Amino acid sequence: MKTLNITPFLLLLLIPMELHSGILINEISAGGSDKWVEVTVTPDIESIDISQYYVTMYYGSAEKISNKPVTLYGRNRPETSWDDRFAIIHFTPTPMESETDDAGDLNKNGIRDIYCNNYRLWNTDCVVAIDTVNSYANKSMIDFVAYSDRDGSINSYIANCMNAAIAAGQWAACTSINLQDCAVDTGPKGLNSYSTISRINLIDTNSLHDFAVTPYATPGRENIISVDKGKKRLFRTESKKITHTLGNGAIQIPLFLFETCTIKLRIFNSTGSTIYYSELQKNLDPGFFKFDINDRELKGKILTGLYPVKIEAAGKNSSSETDTVFLVIVRRGR
């Protein structure tokens, strides 16, 4: 009787291996002019280079994430200016320089931005996948999300993608005969310009229940599914005291906006005179917003000390709100 001789290499091919577990689609923006997908990893992942994968809707052309390493980590490391757990994959029609490991934060926005010349996401029926190839037919999906405006008639191509994901165990089937009901519901008009499809607490059951549509886009940050406004209707300040060293870049005053609003700020000196007046920022989307102020724009002689900053916002239905934070100006040590 002959014995079956299997080499160690062939044996490895026969053993099912989940080499890509822990890489997840975390957030999707498809309603605005900038179509993007946020990719993340679970906390148990030490580090992984995602550059050779595709983030794709499988329709039309797609590029690999990068031809240079893009490493994500299961924790945020203090040595980088961005959160190492996240990368934003922008679907762009023209080539742009990506913020790879070597390039760093080119636009200084604290977010890892990667640009791929990919077919842009639809805002009706659509899917998003992380894959080793740009084809839904290979059962090579790493992660998958389907979303729909649920207009009663699913796009046939998207239906094929969803059926392939269900067969591959990357998306959960449901009892409805209409596959749209198995997809994340974006509402009859799809996503608006600032809403996103956001993963809830890094849960991954490969189903629509892992996600929620939220008005708070958080590219490069942890997702915000809902917020408690409390008495605040329009915005909150992220810090009541901000320290700035003269000549050390822009003064940054971060806010969180609860709804679409128009906002401005003024900076005063100790005598109450205005030393800076911002331009009116109109119709800002909900979510994080940051004033960046060049300290050379401050009027008069700037001394070390405490400067009140008054922030004023106006929202819908004539609602308004003001708040004050304090800017502490210091000089470089000699």
Side-chain angles (χ1 to χ4, degrees):
M1 182 177 180
K2 294 183 178 180
T3 59
L4 185 62
N5 184 18
I6 301 178
T7 66
F9 175 75
L10 291 175
L11 183 61
L12 286 174
L13 294 179
L14 294 173
I15 299 174
M17 300 179 69
E18 296 186 9
L19 296 177
H20 314 293
S21 61
I23 307 174
L24 299 172
I25 296 165
N26 197 48
E27 191 172 8
I28 300 168
S29 177
S33 58
D34 183 12
K35 316 286 187 180
W36 53 264
V37 176
E38 181 181 69
V39 176
T40 191
V41 294
T42 52
D44 59 296
I45 300 295
E46 176 62 30
S47 66
I48 188 167
D49 177 13
I50 64 170
S51 62
Q52 297 306 296
Y53 302 134
Y54 291 85
V55 177
T56 176
M57 65 170 286
Y58 293 123
Y59 192 88
S61 62
E63 297 178 337
K64 289 182 178 179
I65 289 174
S66 178
N67 58 9
K68 295 182 179 180
V70 177
T71 305
L72 295 187
Y73 293 79
R75 60 182 179 87
N76 185 24
R77 303 179 305 152
E79 57 263 41
T80 57
S81 61
W82 57 70
D83 192 320
D84 297 277
R85 298 170 295 175
F86 308 107
I88 309 301
I89 315 302
H90 300 267
F91 289 30
T92 56
T94 54
M96 296 179 65
E97 187 174 1
S98 291
E99 296 177 339
T100 61
D101 292 354
D102 291 337
D105 189 5
L106 298 172
N107 58 9
K108 307 301 181 184
N109 67 348
I111 300 171
R112 167 163 275 193
D113 294 300
I114 307 297
Y115 302 95
C116 294
N117 186 13
N118 290 3
Y119 195 89
R120 306 187 81 190
L121 301 176
W122 296 340
N123 198 20
T124 49
D125 295 330
C126 196
V127 301
V128 177
I130 305 173
D131 206 321
T132 57
V133 297
N134 186 33
S135 172
Y136 65 80
N138 291 46
K139 292 188 177 181
S140 54
M141 299 171 186
I142 298 167
D143 197 29
F144 181 93
V145 179
Y147 61 90
S148 172
D149 59 4
R150 297 194 180 181
D151 62 357
S153 177
I154 192 168
N155 178 281
S156 60
Y157 179 81
I158 298 303
N160 291 339
C161 293
M162 289 183 66
N163 283 323
I166 292 168
Q170 288 295 333
W171 195 246
C174 64
T175 56
S176 175
I177 60 174
N178 184 355
L179 274 176
Q180 286 184 319
D181 296 331
C182 303
V184 177
D185 184 3
T186 61
K189 296 182 180 180
L191 299 173
N192 60 34
S193 61
Y194 55 81
S195 293
T196 63
I197 298 168
S198 297
R199 186 178 289 276
I200 304 168
N201 297 327
L202 290 183
I203 295 170
D204 188 27
T205 64
N206 294 324
S207 78
L208 62 91
H209 303 296
D210 297 341
F211 296 89
V213 174
T214 170
Y216 307 113
T218 56
R221 300 171 180 255
E222 292 183 353
N223 293 342
I224 296 176
I225 304 302
S226 62
V227 295
D228 180 9
K229 294 183 181 181
K231 295 181 180 180
K232 298 285 186 179
R233 295 178 300 168
L234 296 178
F235 74 96
R236 71 166 182 245
T237 57
E238 294 295 277
S239 176
K240 297 300 290 185
K241 186 172 72 172
I242 297 158
T243 301
H244 174 74
T245 303
L246 279 176
N248 194 27
I251 300 168
Q252 296 184 337
I253 301 177
L255 310 174
F256 185 84
L257 311 183
F258 294 116
E259 61 180 66
T260 301
C261 60
T262 296
I263 200 161
K264 64 181 180 181
L265 67 71
R266 288 177 289 170
I267 303 176
F268 302 91
N269 62 17
S270 59
T271 65
S273 299
T274 301
I275 63 170
Y276 177 82
Y277 195 110
S278 76
E279 294 183 357
L280 194 64
Q281 305 294 319
K282 297 181 179 180
N283 299 319
L284 297 175
D285 292 336
F288 292 100
F289 174 75
K290 181 172 59 180
F291 279 100
D292 285 314
I293 304 164
N294 192 320
D295 59 22
R296 288 179 293 182
E297 298 179 54
L298 303 181
K299 297 178 181 179
K301 186 176 182 180
I302 305 302
L303 305 174
T304 59
L306 194 68
Y307 293 78
V309 181
K310 185 176 183 180
I311 303 161
E312 302 171 80
K316 299 176 182 178
N317 303 318
S318 300
S319 58
S320 63
E321 184 178 348
T322 63
D323 200 357
T324 301
V325 301
F326 294 93
L327 173 65
V328 180
I329 296 289
V330 299
R331 294 186 179 274
R332 292 176 180 173
R334 297 186 178 183

